Amino acid sequence: MILVSPSLLASDFSNLEREMARMEQAGADWLHLDVMDGHFVPNLTFGAPVIKCLREKSGLVFDVHLMISDPLLYVDDFVDAGADILTFHLESGSDCEKTIQKIKSRGVKAGLSIKPDTPVEKLFPFASQLDMALIMTVEPGFGGQSFMPDMLSKVEKLREYCNHTGNTMNIQVDGGIAAPTAPLAVKAGADVLVAGSYVFGASDPAQAIQTLKQAGN
Ligand code: DX5
Ligand code: ZN
């Protein structure tokens, strides 16, 4: 089954409660929350206090994507705010093993992400501890960028590795996912699709989510 996680980054920030409800009604499986610190990536979004307020207004699974330096320092804040899945970057400067263990010790699912220039093999040593890997299909930092087809071979390699090792983690892709690119990502082995502009910009978001969910058919 393909899961769809609409990225709130593409929503109307003046009414996040309404935007979350719109996605829930449209059939979103998860809600993707992009946290950017203006240091790890050249953009700023929102942090744990905003997520805490959103948590009170939505029953969706909160799929929090930390694009921040030293995420280990902030794990408690984001868990306390209500994250269900906490994904950080391998390039973030924190010790990956310690950060994964910290997230899991708080009863939250742990995800590890790589930027386009990072080889997928760097994920392998951590794979057995992960609930999810996120292969970025654009440079992190901004919504609305073009999908990078070169990333598909990374998804394929990770899926092969998981099949060989009996690993059942989710493989998520994020960036430039829309009707033409979703089937490519799913064919390569992704099972969680993040989509910002495609879903939030659609005149019929329910239809857009269904299109993504059927990308494997
Ligand atoms: C980019 C973010 C993405 C972004 C995707 O750094 O991690 O989640 O919102 O946006 P689209 O789907 O518009 O490429
Ligand atoms: Zn993201």
Side-chain angles (χ1 to χ4, degrees):
M1 193 180 62
I2 303 304
L3 301 178
V4 175
S5 190
S7 169
L8 203 60
L9 185 62
S11 73
D12 175 359
F13 274 21
S14 72
N15 199 334
L16 293 171
E17 183 178 3
R18 183 195 62 209
E19 292 288 72
M20 290 192 299
R22 205 155 71 86
M23 289 304 124
E24 199 160 359
Q25 282 153 20
D29 296 290
W30 297 354
L31 186 71
H32 187 81
L33 297 140
D34 286 305
V35 177
M36 305 186 190
D37 66 354
H39 184 258
F40 181 72
V41 289
N43 197 7
L44 285 162
T45 54
F46 47 77
V50 172
I51 294 176
K52 189 171 194 289
C53 291
L54 298 177
R55 180 73 289 173
E56 290 162 21
K57 311 278 185 185
S58 173
L60 283 165
V61 170
F62 276 11
D63 163 33
V64 177
H65 177 192
L66 298 179
M67 286 163 275
I68 65 174
S69 300
D70 282 325
L72 179 56
L73 301 177
Y74 302 93
V75 168
D76 280 323
D77 289 349
F78 286 99
V79 172
D80 292 341
D84 296 293
I85 303 157
L86 202 47
T87 299
F88 67 100
H89 272 264
L90 189 138
E91 310 88 349
S92 64
S94 283
D95 182 286
C96 289
E97 180 119 16
K98 277 189 196 153
T99 308
I100 293 165
Q101 290 316 317
K102 174 77 184 167
I103 294 168
K104 293 178 70 162
S105 76
R106 294 289 322 267
V108 165
K109 291 190 171 164
L112 185 58
S113 181
I114 50 170
K115 299 206 280 187
D117 286 344
T118 303
V120 71
E121 289 80 5
K122 295 232 173 176
L123 289 172
F124 295 173
F126 309 104
S128 65
Q129 305 160 57
L130 292 173
D131 296 292
M132 185 166 80
L134 166 53
I135 309 282
M136 290 303 299
T137 42
V138 298
E139 279 300 337
F142 299 91
Q145 302 181 76
S146 298
F147 179 81
M148 299 168 76
D150 289 359
M151 298 303 116
L152 290 168
S153 63
K154 289 161 65 169
V155 177
E156 281 167 14
K157 278 187 200 163
L158 181 59
R159 179 52 72 195
E160 269 174 38
Y161 178 86
C162 288
N163 287 345
H164 264 95
T165 54
N167 188 309
T168 57
M169 72 160 98
N170 288 118
I171 300 179
Q172 185 176 58
V173 285
D174 181 9
I177 298 295
T181 52
L184 306 176
V186 171
K187 187 160 180 269
D191 60 0
V192 187
L193 304 175
V194 175
S197 39
Y198 175 66
V199 172
F200 278 95
S203 53
D204 183 351
Q207 181 58 56
I209 288 172
Q210 276 316 307
T211 300
L212 297 180
K213 286 185 78 72
Q214 285 158 13
N217 300 350

